[in-house]
Amino acid sequence: MLPGLIDCHTHPVFAKPRLIDFEKRIAGASYEEIAEAGGGIRSSQAGVREASRNMLADKVSFAFRAMLRHGTTTVEAKSGYGLSLEAEVKSLEAIREAAKYWPSTVKPTLLAAHVVPQEYKDRPDDYVRLICEEIIPLVAKRKLAEYVDVFCERGAFTVEQAERIFTAARQHGLDTRAHVCQFTPSRLSGLLAHQAASLDHMDCVADGDLRSLASSDTVAVLLPGANYFLGHKEFPDARRLIEAGIAVALATDYNPGTSPTVSMPIVISLACTHMNMTPAEAIAASTINAACALRVQTQKGSIEPGKDADLAVFDVADYREIAYWFAWNRCAEMVVGGELQGFSKD
Ligand code: NIG
Ligand code: FE
């Protein structure tokens, strides 16, 4: 029995899988080349803008139920494929609706700054202004999200733009997190200065940032499902971060472009086989450290008196088997808030 797993980074609000991108990558195109040619995040935008809130909520519910069957009892869920005030609000409403019908805990995040939408292509700062001056205030007022996330990357947003968005988020009482150093390196000091709850991906962190990251309360969330699904040979260097004293968490990054999995046990397995984390480290990274990444460690992430009784029971004789039986779901029972959940094991 483990504490319920915590998936601290997911993008569940999308309408369709991205099979064209998938086949283009198989034929040799890179994620960035596909995005530049109009695929990628922008190609999920039309589906979300056209979909009704209820249709999106059904998709989110379907993913949440599957996560629970794989041992996840707390999930962070981002918007980020609507890319307009209306469609980002609708995405967060879909998360809220799905959360009503899921017994476990959902932590919603506004990711309007996922990519600059086509209509703002030549004036990205106007889109940043829309996020800061309209989307964040409305989302905060309606309590639709607890965090604001930004994708800091070539072709998405700069660290300077992220800092403007973080400033607005904090003015409205929202915590911050960022996608950073996934494909190209960025310096982290600006983001750390805003006390981001987590910095996620972290495939290429500069040596000069290790010390300040280690001494901060910011957790590095590693997402090996994305490296696996993009066919990358390289994975985030977990050992380097752990040895520098940085708190490392793991998550699925469930999304239609780079990581269409709901399985934390697969992520735990990848962390062991491709990132040289021990099974014990990978489990800690998926429970207590992931709780810290969501700042819920006083309630979640370990089995202790006073914390929520969220538990995952695995059909194994040794905890290391959770990492060992890859792509074989051994989660047998779930307990959420002290209540046994009925689900058929598939
Ligand atoms: O975490 N990197 C940015 N966001 C997602 C990918 C989103 C997509 O391609 O749809 C990620 O990998
Ligand atoms: Fe992501």
Side-chain angles (χ1 to χ4, degrees):
M1 183 185 286
L2 295 182
L5 302 176
I6 297 181
D7 193 347
C8 61
H9 180 140
T10 82
H11 307 245
V13 194
F14 58 90
K16 287 187 273 239
R18 291 221 300 270
L19 302 176
I20 296 173
D21 292 8
F22 183 49
E23 287 206 309
K24 280 189 180 164
R25 264 201 316 280
I26 292 167
S30 73
Y31 180 79
E32 285 176 289
E33 284 161 1
I34 293 167
E36 269 163 36
I41 295 164
R42 282 190 200 92
S43 61
S44 289
Q45 174 194 300
V48 167
R49 288 193 182 176
E50 283 157 21
S52 68
R53 191 194 67 182
N54 287 349
M55 190 272 232
L56 293 174
D58 283 349
K59 302 264 181 201
V60 177
S61 281
F62 187 67
F64 283 175
R65 284 201 303 275
M67 287 171 183
L68 187 64
R69 286 200 300 273
H70 288 80
T72 297
T73 52
T74 296
V75 61
E76 182 262 14
K78 306 175 198 293
S79 66
Y81 294 108
L83 308 172
S84 68
L85 181 115
E86 297 72 22
E88 287 295 306
V89 165
K90 178 173 68 179
S91 299
L92 291 170
E93 287 173 343
I95 292 169
R96 174 175 285 183
E97 190 63 20
K100 277 195 216 157
Y101 300 100
W102 200 54
S104 302
T105 303
V106 178
K107 296 286 179 183
T109 297
L110 171 70
L111 177 57
H114 204 180
V115 75
V116 177
Q118 198 60 30
E119 59 271 29
Y120 285 92
K121 194 171 154 285
D122 301 321
R123 45 189 186 107
D125 281 330
D126 286 353
Y127 184 58
V128 172
R129 205 167 301 121
L130 174 78
I131 293 172
C132 294
E133 294 176 10
E134 295 186 44
I135 304 183
I136 288 174
L138 180 66
V139 163
K141 182 159 160 257
R142 292 193 50 205
K143 297 193 176 1
L144 282 168
E146 296 182 34
Y147 316 95
V148 172
D149 194 343
V150 180
F151 183 19
C152 293
E153 188 55 68
R154 186 171 62 196
F157 295 87
T158 64
V159 169
E160 188 274 325
Q161 289 170 325
E163 286 196 65
R164 264 155 44 208
I165 293 167
F166 278 11
T167 301
R170 284 156 53 83
Q171 277 167 357
H172 287 86
L174 301 173
D175 262 332
T176 56
R177 48 202 333 112
H179 289 67
V180 65
C181 297
Q182 181 177 11
F183 302 115
T184 54
S186 292
R187 289 312 297 260
L188 304 179
S189 50
L191 303 173
L192 290 172
H194 290 263
Q195 281 119 40
S198 72
L199 296 177
D200 302 29
H201 284 291
M202 305 290 266
D203 291 69
C204 43
V205 179
D207 282 340
D209 283 326
L210 294 178
R211 194 189 293 241
S212 44
L213 192 54
S215 61
S216 73
D217 286 335
T218 301
V219 177
V221 177
L222 309 183
L223 306 165
N227 300 66
Y228 165 78
F229 189 72
L230 293 177
H232 289 177
K233 305 256 175 314
E234 300 290 327
F235 280 69
D237 192 348
R239 292 255 59 90
R240 174 169 167 256
L241 300 180
I242 292 169
E243 269 137 39
I246 293 161
V248 164
L250 292 165
T252 61
D253 196 14
Y254 171 64
N255 79 74
T258 66
S259 191
T261 182
V262 294
S263 169
M264 283 300 293
I266 286 184
V267 169
I268 289 169
S269 187
L270 284 173
C272 295
T273 58
H274 288 63
M275 289 154 58
N276 299 101
M277 291 174 76
T278 65
E281 285 172 333
I283 288 169
S286 306
T287 52
I288 190 65
N289 286 14
C292 291
L294 297 181
R295 298 197 165 148
V296 294
Q297 68 276 16
T298 57
Q299 284 313 112
K300 310 276 187 192
S302 57
I303 305 175
E304 285 183 75
K307 285 198 177 184
D308 296 345
D310 293 348
L311 310 168
V313 181
F314 289 85
D315 188 4
V316 293
D318 183 309
Y319 72 92
R320 291 171 294 189
E321 291 180 53
I322 295 167
Y324 173 90
W325 299 112
F326 84 96
W328 183 358
N329 184 20
R330 305 298 290 252
C331 181
E333 307 272 11
M334 295 300 298
V335 175
V336 178
E339 288 193 17
L340 187 64
Q341 303 299 304
F343 59 77
S344 58
K345 192 160 174 277
D346 44 329

